Amino acid sequence: MRILALETSCDETAAAIVEEGTHVLGSVIASSREVFARAGGVIPEEAARMQVTCIHPVLDQVFSQAGITEKDIDLLAVTRGPGLLGSLLVGTTTARMLASLWKKPLLGIHHTLGHLSSPWLSCTETPRFPLLTLSASGGHTELWYRTDHLHGEILGSTRDDAAGEAFDKGASLLGLPYPGGPSLARAAEQGDPHAFPFPLPLAGDSTLDFSFSGLKTALKYTLRDLGTDGAAPERKADLAASYQHALCRHLIQRITQALARCPDAQEVHLVGGVSANQHLRSLVQDVCDGRTLRTPLRLEFCTDNAAMIAAAAFFASREQQEKPGLPFTTAASLPSSAALSPA
Ligand code: KG4
Ligand code: ZN
């Protein structure tokens, strides 16, 4: 089965063609990152305007990469939410129009189900359920225990900021460019992760929830106390490394606790933009206790992309055994708990 998927939930315009949920024939991601780097963040109306102009060239490019035509497509899929409404509508309106023009079925996919499916892309072995997934991006942070693609539960989620948001806000406090995650990780390479002892959030809490806002405040007060010293390059590197380490320690502690509660988990998956973080990857490896650790095989599959939406659509249509083409709504806010349910 060949699926053409579109993903336009934030500032990217992405299209992909994926065969059997894993084999990526083409994947194109047009990002307006440079434009928003100057603004220091995404401007929703501007993002949607750019997506309107990008979507057709991106579609042309993905078909030429894959070397096929629309006649070879069996199913269309599109991110239906959550995300920026104007941006989502560019993707869903285009997908609805193409599905009707080409007389193909169309599936609306929850953005988080896309991230959860990303480790299957280009993967030659089949991951084994049950498995534990940390899904951490700019909009959400959750620990999932799943027994198959569409069955499972959220063990814990963030009470305030998302992990990616904590990277972004920390980078901004340190005067590092947008997007904050990669620039903070780069600055941290030269620093000492133990130079500043930031606290472990929710240390005595018995849930598997996350909280990142206290760390951001701790960084703010540390910078205030350092005064002009905080701006020196070596101090900045130490601050970035210590802050990154504190965010990762919190994530790792929750993964360790979740594995103790779910000892039958065969694998640990890291997905979402934050899974691109190398420091996090190396720390998670140490707590997997012999289990397979999987991250998306290409860095572009960690952050938002359309191939993960195609993978999710493939497994959803296979496991639901429903005729694709169910009506769906486009929704800016959708709870993560709805990720495994049909539209
Ligand atoms: O999944 P994603 O592309 O978009 C959302 O669904 O939000 O995640 C974007 C987030 C941003 O907050 C970005 O700063 C973070 O992922 N991110 C990283 C890294 N690369 C991207 N955070 C830490 N280290 C990275 N290398
Ligand atoms: Zn995402």
Side-chain angles (χ1 to χ4, degrees), residues 7 9-10 12 111-112 115 136-140 272-273 302-305 308:
E7 149 68 43
S9 65
C10 190
E12 75 298 320
H111 183 75
T112 298
H115 280 303
S137 72
H140 67 271
C302 294
T303 44
D304 291 346
N305 66 90
M308 68 182 194

Side-chain angles (χ1 to χ4, degrees), residues 142-299:
E142 284 133 17
L143 263 176
W144 287 83
Y145 172 79
R146 283 184 307 150
T147 50
D148 65 41
H149 286 282
L150 296 183
H151 292 94
E153 58 175 316
I154 297 176
L155 302 174
S157 53
T158 184
R159 294 184 187 170
D160 40 58
D161 293 347
E165 199 179 351
F167 270 96
D168 294 337
K169 287 179 175 171
S172 157
L173 286 170
L174 290 169
L176 299 165
Y178 170 90
S183 47
L184 194 127
R186 224 172 299 119
E189 281 168 20
Q190 314 301 326
D192 172 5
H194 305 290
F196 295 93
F198 289 115
L200 182 67
L202 301 180
D205 182 276
S206 62
T207 72
L208 293 174
D209 285 344
F210 301 89
S211 169
F212 294 99
S213 61
L215 282 174
K216 176 197 61 192
T217 309
L219 175 63
K220 198 170 161 184
Y221 287 144
T222 307
L223 276 166
R224 183 200 58 189
D225 295 345
L226 284 170
T228 47
D229 268 4
E234 61 284 4
R235 285 281 83 178
K236 217 181 212 187
D238 284 347
L239 283 162
S242 303
Y243 181 72
Q244 171 179 255
H245 189 61
L247 296 178
C248 293
R249 265 180 76 218
H250 184 30
L251 295 168
I252 300 301
Q253 190 214 27
R254 291 315 199 204
I255 292 175
T256 310
Q257 290 168 325
L259 286 173
R261 289 192 200 178
C262 308
D264 62 338
Q266 306 274 307
E267 305 198 350
V268 177
H269 291 187
L270 285 185
V271 304
V274 177
S275 70
N277 190 275
Q278 295 299 335
H279 187 63
L280 177 66
R281 288 179 177 202
S282 66
L283 292 176
V284 177
Q285 186 71 66
D286 295 342
V287 299
C288 284
D289 202 17
R291 294 175 183 87
T292 306
L293 169 63
R294 283 186 211 280
T295 51
L297 282 173
R298 279 155 53 177
L299 273 187

